[in-house]
Amino acid sequence: MKESWRWYGPLDRIGLGEILQTGASGIVTALHEIPYGEIWPRQTIAARKAEIAAAGMDWGVVESLPIHERIKRGEGDLSALFANYRQSMANLAAEGITTICYNFMPLLDWTRTDLAAPVATGGTCLRFSAPKMAALELYMLGRDAAREDYPCEVITAAERWFQASSDDDRGLLMHSVMAGLPGAYDRYDADGLKAALKLYDGLDRSALRDNYMRFLEKIIPAAEDLGMRLCVHPDDPPRDILGLPRIVSDADDIGWILGAVDSPANGLTLCAGSLGANPANDVPAIARRFASRIWFAHLRNVRKDADGSFEEAAHLSGDTDMVELVAALLDEEARRREAGDEDWEIPFRPDHGHELLDDAGRNTHPGYPLIGRMRGLAELRGVIAGLSYGQKELG
Ligand code: DNO
């Protein structure tokens, strides 16, 4: 498995020289400065690639080549947006970059209510509190329909939280929910978010699936021609949010997507943490079932509460059996090698990490501190080395 690291580009407070010291050899990045829907110029891709190569690593995976919200909403004439997406892919392929991660979550990307929840042993983690999210929906956005989306005890806890909260608490909650949007895109306040949500009125699950299908039909054949592999990132959290449907949340959804256009170019990012936040998802089983279409893995863990809340655990703690999951991915690599596939290696990155030790105060992207992720990478490296030794012994 190829050890990789997400780098947010030149504005990332963690430099390439520091990343090299973690032992990672692959970089996962994007041209975050380019607005959604515009073409990624070949020269800019080449320059970023050269910068990474000069630091001793290679740009292995694009995360993300974002899909414009109009495509998700199926709004108006989309031919220029599809053409731009294909052109960006062609420019990436011309520079030898062929693995692209993207998501199909409407409006928001990953969503948390707390960016610095305390960890018992020190440091902080990202947390999703169902009561706080319900409070935001019901009382800050006035979305009454949200009552149907949460159990009664969560609604009661939401009301209690809201009544006790100060303006600062509410501001911090909104800021935390917005933090998942990468790059230089819009962040919303309550009114802005309400207005943005209006654009999605009437977009239900089946309409979103239709729009996704259209995207796949317009893009996957071009990806095939270019020898590229797209890999969809699961929803985080894997459930509808703010009344917006989410359609990449469990094994059935993934089965539908991969079957919708049955091509290796239409693949999956196995994000253990996103999928792991739904108690119904058995992440190692999902990895085994869709193994042949996994082109990229995000390895992290979550600990779930009964009310639908969850927080990010250390990489080998939490509810997902990380050893079993890594074993599934190593078995898939072995299968590819035996089948003579030269491109057998699955790139993975330690996804998110606790803020630990000197991470505090560095103000890196939420969830993406240096030491916390390095700890995760080191632990995963140990699991991979141990299991690989076992494979050799048995083989
Ligand atoms: C969160 C990330 C996601 C991911 C996108 C892919 O930490 O894993 O934001 O990059 O959903 O498009």
Side-chain angles (χ1 to χ4, degrees):
M1 294 185 65
K2 168 105 168 166
E3 292 183 14
S4 309
W5 187 275
R6 188 177 198 176
W7 177 60
Y8 279 97
L11 294 179
D12 196 324
R13 291 200 165 91
I14 299 170
L16 289 168
E18 289 177 293
I19 298 173
L20 193 63
Q21 293 185 44
T22 70
S25 55
I27 288 292
V28 174
T29 193
L31 301 183
H32 288 289
E33 64 277 26
I34 298 187
Y36 284 21
E38 289 183 16
I39 294 174
W40 288 17
R42 180 163 176 191
Q43 272 174 325
T44 318
I45 297 167
R48 193 63 53 84
K49 187 182 159 174
E51 184 181 354
I52 294 166
M57 291 168 287
D58 64 280
W59 182 359
V61 179
V62 172
E63 179 176 350
S64 309
L65 182 57
I67 298 179
H68 197 278
E69 291 299 310
R70 279 185 46 219
I71 295 180
K72 297 179 191 168
R73 294 197 295 263
E75 186 183 286
D77 178 4
L78 299 174
S79 46
L81 285 173
F82 289 133
N84 286 1
Y85 204 93
R86 287 190 294 261
Q87 189 58 53
S88 294
M89 289 198 312
N91 293 348
L92 284 161
E95 291 301 323
I97 302 167
T98 54
T99 305
I100 298 181
C101 168
Y102 69 97
N103 73 75
F104 214 79
M105 291 177 248
L107 189 59
L108 294 184
D109 194 324
W110 61 270
T111 306
R112 297 290 182 275
T113 58
D114 297 88
L115 302 180
V119 172
T121 48
T124 62
C125 69
L126 303 181
R127 180 173 167 80
F128 178 89
S129 151
K132 280 192 179 180
M133 193 66 205
L136 181 132
E137 297 203 40
L138 283 168
Y139 305 114
M140 290 166 62
L141 298 177
R143 207 179 76 77
D144 281 344
R147 283 188 188 279
E148 310 298 315
D149 299 346
Y150 295 92
C152 288
E153 60 277 17
V154 171
I155 303 282
T156 312
E159 196 175 342
R160 223 180 300 126
W161 181 86
F162 185 73
Q163 274 165 4
S165 64
S166 63
D167 282 351
D168 282 355
D169 294 334
R170 294 171 197 172
L172 188 61
L173 174 57
M174 183 58 81
H175 166 80
S176 304
V177 167
M178 289 299 118
L181 295 169
Y185 313 117
D186 299 335
R187 301 303 196 252
Y188 305 105
D189 58 11
D191 286 340
L193 185 53
K194 270 195 248 177
L197 282 168
K198 274 225 147 313
L199 299 172
Y200 296 78
D201 267 356
L203 184 81
D204 61 11
R205 185 177 168 79
S206 114
L208 188 61
R209 269 197 171 181
D210 289 349
N211 298 341
Y212 191 10
M213 183 68 158
R214 185 165 163 204
F215 169 80
L216 292 173
E217 285 171 350
K218 297 283 181 197
I219 298 301
I220 296 296
E224 261 176 17
D225 291 347
L226 293 164
M228 298 199 99
R229 295 181 301 200
L230 265 67
C231 28
V232 66
H233 185 282
D235 304 325
D236 184 1
R239 42 162 291 191
D240 295 359
I241 214 163
L242 295 170
L244 299 168
R246 289 193 154 187
I247 55 170
V248 196
S249 292
D250 58 22
D252 287 348
D253 288 345
I254 295 168
W256 178 83
I257 293 159
L258 302 187
V261 177
D262 195 7
S263 156
N266 181 23
L268 174 68
T269 298
L270 194 282
C271 178
S274 302
L275 291 167
N278 177 347
N281 285 341
D282 174 343
V283 185
I286 291 178
R288 287 205 185 269
R289 176 164 162 202
F290 300 109
S292 67
R293 301 278 280 275
I294 294 174
W295 306 127
F296 182 33
H298 287 177
L299 299 182
R300 71 177 162 86
N301 225 315
V302 288
R303 184 175 300 109
K304 299 182 279 291
D305 298 334
D307 69 355
S309 306
F310 60 88
E311 68 184 22
E312 299 194 357
H315 289 72
L316 302 192
S317 310
D319 298 339
T320 298
D321 186 334
M322 191 55 76
V323 178
E324 202 184 328
L325 175 59
V326 171
L329 297 173
L330 288 174
D331 285 349
E332 171 60 15
E333 287 192 330
R335 186 195 66 76
R336 291 179 193 179
R337 275 199 307 268
E338 273 160 35
D341 182 352
E342 278 174 24
D343 210 5
W344 53 267
E345 199 169 29
I346 301 176
F348 78 98
R349 61 176 183 81
D351 194 15
H352 299 185
H354 292 169
E355 275 203 8
L356 302 174
L357 305 166
D358 288 358
D359 285 331
R362 272 196 79 172
N363 206 13
T364 49
H365 280 75
Y368 288 86
L370 177 58
I371 296 174
R373 278 189 292 165
M374 186 165 84
R375 174 182 165 182
L377 177 60
E379 292 180 354
L380 293 164
R381 179 182 297 140
V383 170
I384 293 165
L387 288 171
S388 307
Y389 180 77
Q391 269 186 349
K392 254 188 286 174
E393 290 288 281
L394 294 170

